[in-house]
Amino acid sequence: MTTQPEITQRDLRSRSREIMDAVEHGQSFTVTRDGHEIGELIPLRRRRRFVSRQDFATMSRHAPSIDAGSFRADQEVASTSETDSPYDR
């Protein structure tokens, strides 16, 4: 396991732009104050909006097969139970 670089609270304050640019590019940091670890700066995981056809095929290769009849039956149950009014009982 790789350890993340430590930065002091003072470093964070004085070099914030440089540090935040590094976080934006995937770098993580452990923030310290008075020699004690107080937090971590980690990049946010970004969700991809577009998945290429090749990536989809690769991800789907090991997906379980779906029984169409069972799927339709599950959808029917879900759709009828969601439209039932709780006040009609």
Side-chain angles (χ1 to χ4, degrees), residues 17-78:
R17 181 178 182 93
E18 171 190 347
I19 292 167
M20 297 310 280
D21 285 346
V23 170
E24 184 177 27
H25 289 94
Q27 178 67 56
S28 299
F29 295 93
T30 299
V31 182
T32 62
R33 179 173 50 200
D34 299 326
H36 302 287
E37 295 179 350
I38 59 167
E40 293 180 308
L41 282 175
I42 57 172
L44 293 175
R45 293 189 326 185
R46 299 191 189 273
R47 293 184 178 201
R48 291 183 0 184
R49 291 184 173 200
F50 174 78
V51 177
S52 71
R53 181 179 294 202
Q54 181 178 356
D55 287 345
F56 180 77
T58 301
M59 291 184 285
S60 302
R61 192 166 289 135
H62 301 291
S65 59
I66 296 174
D67 175 51
S70 295
F71 179 76
R72 283 189 204 104
D74 288 344
Q75 293 298 305
E76 182 64 29
V77 169

